[in-house]
Amino acid sequence: MRAVDIIQKKREGKELTPEEITFMVRGYSEGNVPDYQVAAWAMAIYFQGMSAKETAQLTLEMAKSGDQIDLSPIAGVKVDKHSTGGVGDKTTLILAPMVAAAGVPVAKMSGRGLGHTGGTIDKLEAIAGYQVELPRETFIKQVNEIGVSLIGQSGNITPADKKLYALRDVTATVESIPLIASSVMSKKIAAGADAIVLDVKTGSGAFMKTLDDSIALAQAMVDIGTEVGRDTVAIISDMDQPLGHLIGNGLEVEEAIATLHGKGPEDLHELSMILGSHMVVLGKQATTTEEAREILEKTIADGSAFERLKQLVEAQGGDVAMVEDTAKLPHAAKRIEVLAENDGYVSSIEAESIGIAAMLLGAGRETKESVIDLAVGLDLRKKVADEVKKGDVLAILHVNDESRVEESKQRIIQAYQLSAEPVEEKPLVYAIVT
Ligand code: URA
């Protein structure tokens, strides 16, 4: 087999055999197929696409390229959840204890943030002492004992995807649906998921800006799940504004805890219920999403979801007092208001700009080496459809280092799109792909 023939075949829009895909992925991982041939192959895929069978083969091959976590010592259906990335998205902090309280084991590995705001693991580190690294046996033992563990990615998961992603990043081939879908799903499969719930964000702040593209990506990932025997459901949710009000690591923990007490923002509560209901159905603890939702609402009302969060924090060495009293979480020294410069109705809030505004205060990483300030961030006081008068508070900055406050304020003002006419609230969920 020769790489050049495989590139040509894909360039001509023909379907590759499983062996040809394996040849390219293994050859690249092992250093036998060079960067320039894989770059050409990725570009051919970008233009010609891939069938569901080809995409599934690429996914499996990447999943097999490194460590594969065996979650079989944990009883029950292990349901993982993945978001394609949104600003203010702290749903994992809510879903993990809530779904565990509903009887579905949650053995989840999460990531750190890349740009913008932090990832789940950064957020958890706002709880003093919380250990994000656990030996594999401890991780599994904890899920068997208390039904939940949330740790950072460790070991050598999907090295072929890492190498291919880095190459795509510099060859303008990131925005290919089969390549994104296989990249995401390979990591979930290697992490041991039996079933997967995907939150595919759509809108200005999302990877996929249009609903059609978001649905196509969701369908590609659900098709991979079907091909490889993992039940997969994708929820297409709005990212034309950040989720909830609070953005920043400690602040997001605070808002997640409020939501577990039944006192969180409506959008965050609702999305957590929708994602959670599908997790509970896939985890075989309910037969319909309506039944699952009733169970989940009960875990909030009777405090069992919050209790499970406390157990999780305690088991992983975190300071439970911070969870019981969120005033003990890290808080910034200063609050600075951002005021509206015009009258109008909020029609959208550019999530990406809001993420950058938070990052400028230190809530996210500007470079890989940046150190996150866990206390800082933003509190958005106006959301889509709200009326705004000149001088109203749009947002409150939680600040320690004031050096980039002006830049951050400008980003926020630019992020708020105002309309002269009243605006209807946006749907939170646009479609569900099964
Ligand atoms: N996220 C991923 O994990 N992979 C991609 O290819 C794009 C986004």
Side-chain angles (χ1 to χ4, degrees), residues 81-265:
K81 171 254 168 191
H82 177 83
S83 158
T84 58
V87 176
D89 187 351
K90 65 283 284 174
T91 50
T92 296
L93 299 175
I94 300 160
L95 286 166
M98 181 171 76
V99 166
V104 179
V106 179
K108 184 157 175 56
M109 287 186 170
S110 285
R112 293 191 183 276
L114 289 177
H116 304 358
T117 51
T120 300
I121 289 304
D122 300 307
K123 293 170 199 176
L124 282 166
E125 283 183 341
I127 303 169
Y130 189 96
Q131 297 299 310
V132 298
E133 281 173 32
L134 292 182
R136 195 68 40 84
E137 310 72 53
T138 315
F139 172 61
I140 289 182
K141 187 164 169 275
Q142 183 177 316
V143 181
N144 275 327
E145 282 171 7
I146 64 165
V148 58
S149 181
L150 268 181
I151 59 169
Q153 264 148 22
S154 63
N156 186 27
I157 303 265
T158 60
D161 170 62
K162 268 196 199 97
K163 199 169 171 189
L164 181 58
Y165 190 87
L167 185 71
R168 286 166 56 209
D169 212 16
V170 292
T171 55
T173 49
V174 167
E175 298 90 347
S176 151
I177 284 176
L179 293 180
I180 299 171
S182 55
S183 167
V184 170
M185 291 294 282
S186 66
K187 290 183 277 247
K188 298 285 115 185
I189 291 165
D194 297 322
I196 301 154
V197 173
L198 300 162
D199 180 7
V200 179
K201 305 288 189 190
T202 192
S204 64
F207 213 62
M208 293 284 140
K209 311 278 181 220
T210 70
L211 185 55
D212 282 353
D213 280 350
S214 306
I215 290 178
L217 176 61
Q219 190 65 58
M221 293 194 281
V222 169
D223 288 348
I224 293 171
T226 308
E227 287 283 336
V228 304
R230 266 52 164 212
D231 275 342
T232 303
V233 175
I235 315 297
I236 317 278
S237 75
D238 180 62
M239 200 26 76
D240 264 339
Q241 63 176 331
L243 194 58
H245 293 279
L246 300 181
I247 295 147
N249 300 282
L251 290 169
E252 294 194 36
V253 172
E254 188 175 326
E255 194 165 63
I257 290 172
T259 307
L260 286 170
H261 283 310
K263 294 179 183 147

Side-chain angles (χ1 to χ4, degrees), residues 4 38 159 167 175 177 180 241 261 303 327 333 347-348 366 412 422 434:
V4 65
V38 177
L167 185 71
E175 298 90 347
I177 284 176
I180 299 171
Q241 63 176 331
H261 283 310
S347 58
S348 76
E366 193 157 27
I412 292 170
T434 56

Side-chain angles (χ1 to χ4, degrees), residues 5 7 17 30 49 72 98 102 140 185 210 233 288 297 320 323 353 398 420:
D5 299 325
I7 299 165
T17 64
E30 290 163 8
S72 63
M98 181 171 76
I140 289 182
M185 291 294 282
T210 70
V233 175
T288 64
E297 294 283 9
V320 179
V323 177
S353 299
H398 289 235

Side-chain angles (χ1 to χ4, degrees), residues 386-403:
D386 286 347
E387 187 178 4
V388 172
K389 296 260 180 251
K390 189 176 171 187
D392 279 356
V393 177
L394 289 178
I396 299 170
L397 311 184
H398 289 235
V399 183
N400 279 329
D401 171 1
E402 291 185 52
S403 61

Side-chain angles (χ1 to χ4, degrees), residues 16 41 70 136 160 173 199 220 249 270 282 321-322 327 330 358 379 393 416 427 433:
L16 301 180
W41 185 54
D70 177 14
R136 195 68 40 84
T173 49
D199 180 7
N249 300 282
E270 186 58 26
L282 290 182
M322 285 186 163
D379 179 0
V393 177
Y416 273 85
V433 179

